[in-house]
Amino acid sequence: MLSAERRQKIMQIIEQEGVVEINRLAEEFGVSTMTIRRDLDILEAEQKIIRTHGGAMLRQDNLREHPFGWKDERNVAQKEAIARLAVTLIGEGQSIILDAGSTTLRLARELKRFQDLFLITNDIQIASEVVDAPGIRVLLTGGELKPQIYSLEGHFSLSVLSQLHVDTAFIGCDAFDVEKGAMSNSLSKVAIKQAMLNCARRRILLADASKCGQRALATFAEWDQFHAIVTDDHLPAQFQEQCQRWGIEVLIAENGGKVHAETRGDRR
Protein backbone atom coordinates (compact mmCIF):
# COMPACT_ATOMS: atom_id res chain seq x y z
CA MET A 1 0.00 0.00 0.00
CA LEU A 2 1.31 3.44 -0.93
CA SER A 3 1.91 5.86 1.92
CA ALA A 4 -0.62 8.35 0.52
CA GLU A 5 -3.27 5.62 0.34
CA ARG A 6 -2.48 4.54 3.90
CA ARG A 7 -2.85 8.11 5.17
CA GLN A 8 -6.19 8.39 3.41
CA LYS A 9 -7.42 5.25 5.16
CA ILE A 10 -6.05 6.48 8.49
CA MET A 11 -7.97 9.69 8.01
CA GLN A 12 -11.16 7.74 7.33
CA ILE A 13 -10.72 5.84 10.60
CA ILE A 14 -10.14 9.05 12.55
CA GLU A 15 -13.20 10.68 10.98
CA GLN A 16 -15.33 7.69 11.97
CA GLU A 17 -14.00 7.21 15.50
CA GLY A 18 -12.70 10.65 16.48
CA VAL A 19 -9.65 9.29 18.33
CA VAL A 20 -7.13 6.55 17.42
CA GLU A 21 -4.04 4.97 18.96
CA ILE A 22 -0.73 4.54 17.14
CA ASN A 23 -0.29 0.91 18.18
CA ARG A 24 -3.71 -0.03 16.85
CA LEU A 25 -3.01 1.65 13.48
CA ALA A 26 0.37 -0.02 13.20
CA GLU A 27 -1.21 -3.44 13.77
CA GLU A 28 -4.08 -2.76 11.39
CA PHE A 29 -1.84 -1.65 8.52
CA GLY A 30 1.03 -4.04 9.26
CA VAL A 31 3.68 -1.32 9.55
CA SER A 32 5.91 -0.01 12.32
CA THR A 33 4.77 2.55 14.87
CA MET A 34 7.46 4.87 13.48
CA THR A 35 5.77 4.73 10.06
CA ILE A 36 2.41 5.58 11.62
CA ARG A 37 3.99 8.46 13.55
CA ARG A 38 5.32 9.88 10.27
CA ASP A 39 1.87 9.53 8.70
CA LEU A 40 0.27 11.35 11.62
CA ASP A 41 2.91 14.08 11.47
CA ILE A 42 1.99 14.70 7.83
CA LEU A 43 -1.75 14.73 8.57
CA GLU A 44 -1.17 17.17 11.41
CA ALA A 45 0.94 19.42 9.14
CA GLU A 46 -2.02 19.39 6.74
CA GLN A 47 -4.19 20.57 9.67
CA LYS A 48 -6.45 17.55 9.45
CA ILE A 49 -5.75 16.09 12.90
CA ILE A 50 -4.28 16.91 16.30
CA ARG A 51 -1.54 14.66 17.69
CA THR A 52 -2.15 13.30 21.18
CA HIS A 53 -0.04 11.20 23.52
CA GLY A 54 0.06 7.82 21.83
CA GLY A 55 -2.30 8.69 19.02
CA ALA A 56 -4.29 11.40 17.27
CA MET A 57 -7.73 13.01 17.24
CA LEU A 58 -9.83 14.84 14.68
CA ARG A 59 -9.51 18.61 14.63
CA GLN A 60 -12.60 20.30 16.05
CA ASP A 61 -12.51 23.00 13.40
CA ASN A 62 -12.91 20.61 10.46
CA LEU A 63 -16.63 21.46 10.35
CA ARG A 64 -17.88 17.90 10.40
CA GLU A 65 -20.06 16.06 12.85
CA HIS A 66 -17.99 14.11 15.34
CA PRO A 67 -18.83 10.47 16.13
CA PHE A 68 -20.75 9.88 19.35
CA GLY A 69 -17.79 8.08 20.97
CA TRP A 70 -15.59 11.13 20.44
CA LYS A 71 -18.14 13.44 22.04
CA ASP A 72 -18.99 11.10 24.88
CA GLU A 73 -15.45 11.08 26.27
CA ARG A 74 -15.22 14.85 26.61
CA ASN A 75 -16.18 17.01 29.60
CA VAL A 76 -17.81 14.02 31.30
CA ALA A 77 -18.08 15.56 34.77
CA GLN A 78 -19.66 18.74 33.39
CA LYS A 79 -22.19 16.81 31.31
CA GLU A 80 -23.22 14.67 34.25
CA ALA A 81 -23.66 17.75 36.46
CA ILE A 82 -25.73 19.41 33.72
CA ALA A 83 -27.94 16.31 33.50
CA ARG A 84 -28.50 16.23 37.28
CA LEU A 85 -29.59 19.85 37.21
CA ALA A 86 -31.69 19.57 34.04
CA VAL A 87 -33.77 16.70 35.45
CA THR A 88 -35.05 19.04 38.21
CA LEU A 89 -36.81 21.03 35.47
CA ILE A 90 -39.07 18.07 34.64
CA GLY A 91 -42.28 17.17 36.45
CA GLU A 92 -44.37 14.04 36.66
CA GLY A 93 -46.90 13.63 33.86
CA GLN A 94 -45.01 15.85 31.44
CA SER A 95 -44.04 15.26 27.83
CA ILE A 96 -40.45 16.02 26.84
CA ILE A 97 -38.16 15.88 23.84
CA LEU A 98 -34.54 14.84 24.19
CA ASP A 99 -32.36 15.79 21.25
CA ALA A 100 -29.66 13.30 20.23
CA GLY A 101 -26.35 13.73 22.01
CA SER A 102 -24.01 12.75 24.83
CA THR A 103 -25.36 15.29 27.34
CA THR A 104 -29.00 14.39 26.66
CA LEU A 105 -28.10 10.70 27.02
CA ARG A 106 -26.91 11.46 30.54
CA LEU A 107 -30.17 13.29 31.19
CA ALA A 108 -32.06 10.20 29.98
CA ARG A 109 -30.30 8.14 32.66
CA GLU A 110 -31.67 10.52 35.28
CA LEU A 111 -35.28 10.02 34.10
CA LYS A 112 -35.77 6.53 35.52
CA ARG A 113 -37.02 8.02 38.81
CA PHE A 114 -40.24 9.20 37.12
CA GLN A 115 -43.51 7.29 37.36
CA ASP A 116 -45.31 9.08 34.52
CA LEU A 117 -43.35 10.61 31.65
CA PHE A 118 -43.74 10.69 27.88
CA LEU A 119 -40.40 10.91 26.07
CA ILE A 120 -39.82 11.70 22.40
CA THR A 121 -36.33 11.34 20.97
CA ASN A 122 -34.42 10.85 17.73
CA ASP A 123 -31.59 9.04 19.52
CA ILE A 124 -31.65 5.24 19.63
CA GLN A 125 -29.23 5.14 22.57
CA ILE A 126 -31.54 7.35 24.62
CA ALA A 127 -34.51 5.16 23.71
CA SER A 128 -32.58 2.02 24.65
CA GLU A 129 -31.56 3.58 27.98
CA VAL A 130 -35.12 4.16 29.19
CA VAL A 131 -37.27 1.68 27.24
CA ASP A 132 -37.58 -0.69 30.23
CA ALA A 133 -38.29 2.05 32.78
CA PRO A 134 -41.90 1.30 33.84
CA GLY A 135 -42.93 4.94 34.19
CA ILE A 136 -41.68 6.16 30.82
CA ARG A 137 -43.41 5.85 27.47
CA VAL A 138 -41.02 6.30 24.54
CA LEU A 139 -41.66 7.56 21.02
CA LEU A 140 -38.87 7.37 18.46
CA THR A 141 -39.21 9.89 15.66
CA GLY A 142 -38.25 7.42 12.95
CA GLY A 143 -36.04 8.31 10.03
CA GLU A 144 -32.66 7.28 8.67
CA LEU A 145 -30.17 6.04 11.28
CA LYS A 146 -26.72 7.62 11.07
CA PRO A 147 -23.81 5.24 11.79
CA GLN A 148 -21.45 6.31 14.59
CA ILE A 149 -23.92 9.08 15.54
CA TYR A 150 -26.96 6.93 16.48
CA SER A 151 -29.51 9.60 15.60
CA LEU A 152 -32.55 9.35 13.35
CA GLU A 153 -32.90 12.05 10.73
CA GLY A 154 -34.66 12.95 7.52
CA HIS A 155 -38.21 13.41 6.23
CA PHE A 156 -39.88 10.86 8.52
CA SER A 157 -38.40 12.45 11.64
CA LEU A 158 -39.59 15.88 10.57
CA SER A 159 -43.06 14.55 9.75
CA VAL A 160 -43.51 13.07 13.23
CA LEU A 161 -42.18 16.14 15.02
CA SER A 162 -44.45 18.48 13.04
CA GLN A 163 -47.49 16.81 14.63
CA LEU A 164 -46.37 16.99 18.27
CA HIS A 165 -46.97 19.45 21.10
CA VAL A 166 -44.80 18.86 24.17
CA ASP A 167 -44.05 20.57 27.46
CA THR A 168 -40.26 20.87 27.18
CA ALA A 169 -37.54 20.29 24.58
CA PHE A 170 -33.94 19.76 25.70
CA ILE A 171 -31.67 20.59 22.78
CA GLY A 172 -27.93 20.08 22.36
CA CYS A 173 -25.45 21.93 20.15
CA ASP A 174 -21.88 21.78 18.86
CA ALA A 175 -21.16 25.44 19.58
CA PHE A 176 -22.81 28.66 20.73
CA ASP A 177 -21.93 32.31 20.95
CA VAL A 178 -23.53 35.72 21.35
CA GLU A 179 -23.64 36.58 17.64
CA LYS A 180 -24.49 33.29 15.94
CA GLY A 181 -26.75 31.63 18.50
CA ALA A 182 -26.77 27.82 18.83
CA MET A 183 -24.93 25.94 16.08
CA SER A 184 -24.46 22.44 14.70
CA ASN A 185 -21.82 20.86 12.48
CA SER A 186 -24.50 18.68 10.86
CA LEU A 187 -26.65 20.34 8.22
CA SER A 188 -29.10 17.42 8.37
CA LYS A 189 -29.63 18.04 12.09
CA VAL A 190 -30.46 21.73 11.69
CA ALA A 191 -34.01 21.04 10.51
CA ILE A 192 -34.52 18.36 13.19
CA LYS A 193 -33.48 20.69 16.00
CA GLN A 194 -35.68 23.48 14.64
CA ALA A 195 -38.67 21.11 14.47
CA MET A 196 -38.06 20.07 18.08
CA LEU A 197 -38.00 23.69 19.19
CA ASN A 198 -41.17 24.50 17.25
CA CYS A 199 -43.28 21.85 18.98
CA ALA A 200 -42.23 22.65 22.57
CA ARG A 201 -43.82 25.08 25.02
CA ARG A 202 -40.51 25.46 26.89
CA ARG A 203 -37.16 25.28 25.10
CA ILE A 204 -33.90 24.61 26.95
CA LEU A 205 -30.35 24.42 25.59
CA LEU A 206 -28.04 21.89 27.25
CA ALA A 207 -24.39 22.68 26.55
CA ASP A 208 -21.17 22.54 28.51
CA ALA A 209 -19.29 25.83 28.66
CA SER A 210 -16.41 24.61 26.47
CA LYS A 211 -18.74 25.22 23.49
CA CYS A 212 -19.24 28.90 24.35
CA GLY A 213 -17.51 31.24 21.92
CA GLN A 214 -16.91 28.45 19.41
CA ARG A 215 -18.25 28.28 15.87
CA ALA A 216 -19.87 25.40 14.02
CA LEU A 217 -21.12 24.99 10.48
CA ALA A 218 -24.69 26.29 10.74
CA THR A 219 -26.92 28.18 13.16
CA PHE A 220 -30.13 26.33 14.03
CA ALA A 221 -31.57 28.76 16.61
CA GLU A 222 -31.24 32.38 17.67
CA TRP A 223 -31.34 33.22 21.35
CA ASP A 224 -34.94 34.43 21.35
CA GLN A 225 -35.97 30.81 20.74
CA PHE A 226 -34.69 29.61 24.13
CA HIS A 227 -36.15 30.10 27.59
CA ALA A 228 -33.11 28.76 29.44
CA ILE A 229 -29.62 27.32 29.09
CA VAL A 230 -28.21 24.68 31.44
CA THR A 231 -24.42 24.70 31.51
CA ASP A 232 -21.44 24.48 33.88
CA ASP A 233 -19.52 26.96 36.00
CA HIS A 234 -16.96 27.79 33.31
CA LEU A 235 -19.45 29.91 31.38
CA PRO A 236 -17.93 33.39 30.82
CA ALA A 237 -19.46 36.16 32.91
CA GLN A 238 -19.97 38.28 29.79
CA PHE A 239 -22.23 35.64 28.28
CA GLN A 240 -24.26 35.38 31.48
CA GLU A 241 -24.74 39.14 31.48
CA GLN A 242 -25.92 39.04 27.87
CA CYS A 243 -28.43 36.30 28.74
CA GLN A 244 -29.78 38.55 31.50
CA ARG A 245 -30.39 41.29 28.94
CA TRP A 246 -32.13 38.79 26.65
CA GLY A 247 -34.33 37.46 29.45
CA ILE A 248 -32.88 33.95 29.26
CA GLU A 249 -32.51 31.99 32.49
CA VAL A 250 -29.02 30.59 33.04
CA LEU A 251 -28.80 27.48 35.19
CA ILE A 252 -25.26 26.64 36.18
CA ALA A 253 -24.43 23.15 37.44
CA GLU A 254 -21.68 23.03 40.03
CA ASN A 255 -21.17 19.92 42.17
CA GLY A 256 -24.86 19.17 41.95
CA GLY A 257 -25.90 22.72 42.85
CA LYS A 258 -27.22 25.52 40.71
CA VAL A 259 -26.96 29.25 40.24
CA HIS A 260 -29.69 31.26 38.52
CA ALA A 261 -28.87 34.29 36.42
CA GLU A 262 -31.43 37.06 36.74
CA THR A 263 -33.98 37.32 33.94
CA ARG A 264 -36.32 39.99 32.72
CA GLY A 265 -39.92 39.09 32.00
CA ASP A 266 -41.58 35.73 31.61
CA ARG A 267 -41.05 34.37 28.10
CA ARG A 268 -42.93 31.14 28.70
Side-chain angles (χ1 to χ4, degrees), residues 65 144-153 186 188-189:
E65 186 173 16
E144 182 178 0
L145 179 60
K146 295 188 69 174
Q148 305 293 327
I149 307 296
Y150 311 122
S151 64
L152 297 162
E153 301 175 14
S186 170
S188 60
K189 279 189 175 179

Side-chain angles (χ1 to χ4, degrees), residues 97 120 141 156-164 192 195-196 199:
I97 285 177
I120 301 98
T141 61
F156 294 105
S157 294
L158 293 172
S159 178
V160 169
L161 289 168
S162 69
Q163 301 176 61
L164 299 177
I192 297 292
M196 289 177 169
C199 67

